[in-house]
Amino acid sequence: AELDFSSGVESVNFSAKSLKKDLPLLMDLLSDELRNPSFPQDQFDKQKDQMLSQLEQSKESPQSQAARLFYNAVFPDGHPYHRLTVEDAQKALESVTRDDAVAFHARYYRPDTTIIVIAGDVDHAQAVELVKQYFGDWKAKGPVPKVDIPTITSPAKDKQIVHPMMDKTEVSVIFGYPMGMKRSDPDYYAMRIANQILGGSGALVSILGEDIREKHGLVYDVRSSFDASLGAGAWYATMGTNPKDVEKAVSLLKQDIERFRRDGATEKQFKQAREFLIGVFPIALETNEGVAQMLLSAEFYGLGIDYLQKYAGLYRSVTLAQVNAAAKKYLKPESATLVVAGPYQEKKRRLIDPLARQAD
């Protein structure tokens, strides 16, 4: 059997897997861990030391440093999506005590905000009875904590951050901005198709991949994505490149984004991206874990218990006009933050004017 916990900005997640006959034991263990943690001081200290060590190790990764600096820059201090610098994160972690962990658990670990999904070879009635048996008497203490995730609009002016790491061989680039879209936004499906066309599949089939990597050979990898969750996250493109190719790659990146925003997608690009997103969904449901994760997401974001049945129809209802309208509305290269981490020295001039032509 397996039982794992992980945490993110908006939630703590647990996953468990066992043989059918061991499900009662698994639920017993899960209930005990969720409801009755003892936080032994020696284990608390051990985990804290490991986290401090991981932070120190992250200083050696251009990708990690670029991501941290990006989220530090585009979301203000105090925002849930803001990330501290490594040094500030280390200071904050060093100040955390066991009592802080106990208080956090008492406040946020509670039955009225917990979602449990069970998928597999188990009888529905048995599953319900097991949940009642191990969680039925779990009582919430105090009101449900309110977590505010302010929507940040894109800055009016672009920004450049260079983090030299001269002993490395590859430069990591992140280019993006707060997009202002939540998972519940009605434009989500159109924008997901638009992003899939632009850079969602990386170098395989995308505008950015075909131009910057395949045609010009300037990057090892390039892709785009966006965070749309309970709060409105960021849109961003990432690239890994040789130090000598940074300027040209960034210039092409901005040109491709601006061109796509202006001209939109073709009918062929639209249909190919839409069918890809529809086609990968059944693959995600081939395992019990995949089914459980999709059902969890449907409940977490309020998409409805029939989301799995509606998924394909939601994307098939999107039109090319809606995709191109979403690209025009949400792609904002002129107000993006550019982060460059790796063996690259910042120059006196800016890397590339947002709409400059590619350097010869």
Side-chain angles (χ1 to χ4, degrees):
E2 298 176 5
L3 180 58
D4 300 301
F5 284 79
S6 62
S7 62
V9 175
E10 298 175 344
S11 66
V12 61
N13 304 296
F14 55 84
S15 60
K17 181 167 63 174
S18 75
L19 298 175
K20 178 179 180 179
K21 67 181 181 65
D22 294 324
L23 181 58
L25 173 60
L26 198 64
M27 295 294 286
D28 187 10
L29 290 171
L30 175 61
S31 173
D32 192 35
E33 291 196 13
L34 277 174
R35 301 173 58 180
N36 307 306
S38 59
F39 296 108
Q41 187 67 55
D42 62 333
Q43 291 298 312
F44 176 85
D45 294 338
K46 179 181 178 180
Q47 291 298 321
K48 186 173 176 179
D49 288 342
Q50 289 181 355
M51 293 176 69
L52 287 169
S53 177
Q54 291 168 357
L55 280 171
E56 189 65 27
Q57 292 174 9
S58 73
K59 291 181 179 180
E60 299 301 315
S61 168
Q63 294 89 346
S64 177
Q65 287 289 69
R68 184 173 291 276
L69 290 168
F70 174 73
Y71 284 99
N72 179 276
V74 300
F75 292 104
D77 186 26
H79 192 282
Y81 300 156
H82 176 82
R83 293 187 67 181
L84 300 175
T85 64
V86 172
E87 292 74 18
D88 287 343
Q90 288 173 324
K91 291 178 182 178
L93 181 55
E94 286 171 350
S95 68
V96 176
T97 67
R98 177 190 175 279
D99 289 343
D100 294 327
V102 172
F104 186 91
H105 176 271
R107 179 173 173 79
Y108 290 103
Y109 284 61
R110 45 194 298 137
D112 49 353
T113 59
T114 297
I115 302 168
I116 299 177
V117 180
I118 301 175
D121 183 20
V122 58
D123 178 74
H124 174 268
Q126 179 196 11
V128 171
E129 285 305 312
L130 285 172
V131 172
K132 288 181 178 179
Q133 178 180 347
Y134 291 106
F135 295 93
D137 60 347
W138 191 12
K139 305 298 182 184
K141 298 179 181 179
V144 176
K146 293 183 179 180
V147 180
D148 184 29
I149 308 177
T151 296
I152 306 299
T153 57
S154 298
K157 189 176 181 181
D158 59 341
K159 183 178 181 180
Q160 176 178 310
I161 300 170
V162 175
H163 182 70
M165 303 173 71
M166 305 311 293
D167 59 333
K168 306 304 175 184
T169 58
E170 181 179 329
V171 173
S172 183
V173 176
I174 298 183
F175 178 83
Y177 49 86
M179 194 171 75
M181 177 184 288
K182 299 179 181 180
R183 179 62 181 85
S184 58
D185 195 297
D187 288 338
Y188 173 83
Y189 301 100
M191 186 57 195
R192 192 173 178 210
I193 295 175
N195 182 74
Q196 181 66 26
I197 297 167
L198 180 59
S201 287
L204 297 177
V205 183
S206 71
I207 291 173
L208 298 180
E210 291 177 354
D211 187 29
I212 305 175
R213 186 179 188 272
E214 299 302 320
K215 182 179 179 180
H216 290 90
L218 295 174
V219 296
Y220 309 116
D221 184 62
V222 58
R223 60 187 65 244
S224 63
S225 185
F226 64 92
D227 305 327
S229 189
L230 295 180
W235 179 92
Y236 51 92
T238 60
M239 298 189 296
T241 184
N242 189 292
K244 66 181 179 62
D245 294 324
V246 171
E247 288 89 351
K248 289 184 178 181
V250 170
S251 178
L252 275 178
L253 174 67
K254 293 181 178 181
Q255 289 180 59
D256 286 341
I257 297 170
E258 178 58 35
R259 187 181 301 111
F260 180 61
R261 178 175 67 171
R262 182 187 68 237
D263 300 337
T266 65
E267 185 74 24
K268 179 181 178 180
Q269 290 172 323
F270 162 66
K271 289 183 177 179
Q272 186 178 44
R274 185 177 64 178
E275 292 309 307
F276 174 83
L277 292 172
I278 293 172
V280 297
F281 190 69
I283 299 175
L285 302 178
E286 289 182 349
T287 65
N288 292 331
E289 294 95 325
V291 173
Q293 183 58 56
M294 288 300 174
L295 289 171
L296 173 64
S297 295
E299 182 68 18
F300 189 77
Y301 294 118
L303 305 177
I305 196 65
D306 58 346
Y307 175 69
L308 273 64
Q309 289 74 37
K310 295 190 303 182
Y311 179 91
L314 290 169
Y315 282 98
R316 291 198 189 282
S317 67
V318 177
T319 66
L320 175 59
Q322 290 173 323
V323 168
N324 289 338
K328 284 183 169 62
K329 180 178 180 180
Y330 293 103
L331 292 177
K332 304 172 184 178
E334 72 283 351
S335 61
T337 292
L338 173 68
V339 179
V340 180
Y344 182 87
Q345 290 281 18
E346 186 168 14
K347 300 179 179 180
K348 292 183 179 180
R349 63 179 176 83
R350 295 174 60 80
L351 272 176
I352 290 291
D353 183 75
L355 301 182
R357 298 181 62 83
Q358 180 186 355
D360 294 332

